[in-house]
Amino acid sequence: MAKEKKLVEAITSMEEDFAQWYTDVVKKAELIDYSSVKGCMVIKPAGYAIWENIQKELDARFKAVGVENVYMPMFIPESLLEKEKDHVEGFAPEVAWVTYGGLNPLQERLCVRPTSETLFCDFYAKDIQSYRDLPKVYNQWCSVVRWEKETRPFLRSREFLWQEGHTAHATAQEAEERTELMLNEYARFCEEVLAIPVVKGRKTDKEKFAGAEATYTIEALMHDGKALQSGTSHNFGDGFAKAFGIQFTDKDNKLKYVHQTSWGVSTRMIGGIIMVHGDDSGLVLPPRIAPTQVMVIPIAQHKSGVLDKANELKNELAAKFRVKLDDSDKGPGFKFAEQEMRGIPVRIEIGPKDIEAGHAIIVRRDTREKIIADLNEISVKVAEVLDTMQKEMLERARAHREAHTFEARTYEEFKDIVANKPGFIKAMWCGDEACELKIKEDTTATSRCMPFEQEELSNVCVCCGKPAKTMVYWGKAY
Amino acid sequence: MAKEKKLVEAITSMEEDFAQWYTDVVKKAELIDYSSVKGCMVIKPAGYAIWENIQKELDARFKAVGVENVYMPMFIPESLLEKEKDHVEGFAPEVAWVTYGGLNPLQERLCVRPTSETLFCDFYAKDIQSYRDLPKVYNQWCSVVRWEKETRPFLRSREFLWQEGHTAHATAQEAEERTELMLNEYARFCEEVLAIPVVKGRKTDKEKFAGAEATYTIEALMHDGKALQSGTSHNFGDGFAKAFGIQFTDKDNKLKYVHQTSWGVSTRMIGGIIMVHGDDSGLVLPPRIAPTQVMVIPIAQHKSGVLDKANELKNELAAKFRVKLDDSDKGPGFKFAEQEMRGIPVRIEIGPKDIEAGHAIIVRRDTREKIIADLNEISVKVAEVLDTMQKEMLERARAHREAHTFEARTYEEFKDIVANKPGFIKAMWCGDEACELKIKEDTTATSRCMPFEQEELSNVCVCCGKPAKTMVYWGKAY
């Protein structure tokens, strides 16, 4: 019992200190460990398995919309990084530089990719000649490096895992369509699989990607009212094509520049899952992404027949679910606490009395609801519970977001909300970067996006009072 | 027709120049392209899809024997790399060094992982306390960097993709069992999936991994008679554990060092597939690993009904096979040449006459055999052809290896074989490194392995004539 207490006590409560709660959960749920390499983490089996499921699910969705996977080198020669002016300015200050190969200094230093636009462009410039070579819809799953000063597991680390799609198209329209298509894929994935509702919109010029003509984003609201940029899709127009000379001969026999896009999501999404769904007992994983969906926990397992029955149950469920049996020599209370800490969506308790009664007890991780299920129909029941849980987790996250989305019509209102009500703020904006900067300085809130679903809250900018151009979601962000 | 010719002419024949043939195939089959980063390649969709299939198949096999995936940082601090003496000597001369993070020089330089023993050991030293924490059977899929001077696509490049398993065990026996288990998994995978027969054996001390107690290897024979080390499994004993202080409290309450293993295969395997199965028309992919197994090629596709029927056929086959339809505006001859170049196991030709007759023609890539198949039973027929092809490719590779495996009882014989008969040479060895060095200097052949299946060809060393300890497979190697 001392041990059980220790496990539970180990987590700071969310209300008390959300940042500490987050750190406790990633450690105690055994998602990551810190490494000897400052700012880089070790992703442990429980954490990596979530990433594997994200990859598997997203990769299938990508392939269904024509994406092909490739692999580019992890190094970028300095001269290549410098080819696109905005891009190098955006990334050069935060890259890691390789200066020695073996015992010899390199003639030209190489950066470890912070993102691979330049490598894809260099490749496309050679590989694309004719309209017949288009479109190119390539993606890679890899790790990238950005030399961040402040790091937090999953949210901001010097190395992180991601996918980066890079496409080239014959027309501006096709590039725009691909940019939107991929953003929609991300949004659907977040809602359907991660049970995270997102706001889709466009970044302001200040917040857009270095080198992009337009950046689209999905923004999610965390439990503490902060925003998490969860995926982005960029339309590059022909800017990179001109910098890298990516031209093709079109059907009309004219030489034209391609139009490009890029889009990516990362292990950051795991941070989002934790901060949207977690509670004071630890992680809560949506059933569709959970590496283990069901944990069978025998009660009084030393008693004759219990372990056999628990094993039988596990094997039966394994045909339809990702299921494990905890037959370790720990006490049931400790096993419950562990299963809860790790966010396993349901546990099934089964002891001598249950076996006698011909049932088992299904316990939902999110609501703690206990459902007594007949052993004859347990598989159907588990499927129902997991489906319901998946659906209700999304609904709950949506309700939380709606309860924490505010409207500000005056600057006083805006400042009051930022100071007192954590969440998204919808407010009108004139389109001037000066107002964005002022709002950030006054409140630390930043523009999250100009949502595709616009509303006209008023006709003046919340900051300067000049005519408004667009409604913006504002918020403090990770 | 000019274009068709160009495509076919583009490949040098194997007999004429095997190295050039290899380079032509990797380029013309669109597996890779060279990049602006010297010694690093771009893996294109056709190449990466092979790697994805290798990953998928191997990963499932790993998981079935208890392997869990994790992710370690890509950087290793210099002090960490230096902890195990043999290991640092083996790798330090060929690593890439990061010396700057953003605009600032690093206090300690970091190498880009050439392999991750040191990172796993550093992690295990913290993570393992009790026998309850054992065994650890972790693996990661990642890229590694070795600053090679001479590079060749898939066979030797500065960056390559691989998996590296790293395990920790309570006993020496368990570590030895895991080392052998993984080698056997690799061997089975090569034979069952890649249709590549391998010799399993142990490396001599000279050839073993830097820091290992024993290295086991699978060695395959390429079409040109050279050997390819295709996968290795290392038993570290407790050497790394002592260097890194990885100790656990055992059931008897005593503090003990763990015993460790590591094992890996890489994109090198793709080089093996090319060099074992390819021919003068290009790549030949074993059906089980081929990203596209069947290419449907319509004949006279402008004629009414042909494309519809070809599409119907494709859709029917898609339920059971990885199938594509080539309905581009190229001529059939060009399509055949392309399908052959890319190594797609079978093509199905279907034209107006075939449709009238209610059949289609299945053409095997390896033998060019044409099989007329009734459209009503085409799916069954394709399955048969692919199965037979997979089986016969392995048999052919095994026959080729047997025909190119020689025995040498005297040093004259040995030298004559190396000079005139490309292949493996079986010969007895005294166990002395001096003989290995002399053989290498005299003939350029190296010891490939001491096979598990030993034979006693004579009782004296083929080189020095002293009493022999073991039979060794020798050969020139990639």
Side-chain angles (χ1 to χ4, degrees), chain A residues 36 71 95 99 102 122 126 159, chain B residues 34 36 71 95 99 102 122 159:
Chain A
S36 292
Y71 189 77
V95 296
T99 57
D122 186 47
K126 284 193 300 181
E159 181 188 4
Chain B
Y34 296 97
S36 292
Y71 189 77
V95 296
T99 57
D122 186 46
E159 182 188 4

Side-chain angles (χ1 to χ4, degrees), chain A residues 225-242:
Chain A
K226 283 197 194 166
L228 187 75
Q229 176 182 306
S230 305
T232 47
S233 187
H234 315 291
N235 187 341
F236 290 132
D238 57 8
F240 276 94
K242 285 181 173 161

Side-chain angles (χ1 to χ4, degrees), chain B residues 36 167 202 220 235 369 374 387 391 396 403 413:
Chain B
S36 292
T167 73
R202 181 175 171 164
N235 187 341
E369 189 191 348
D374 201 290
D387 278 358
K391 204 167 119 259
R396 220 162 30 240
E413 247 184 318

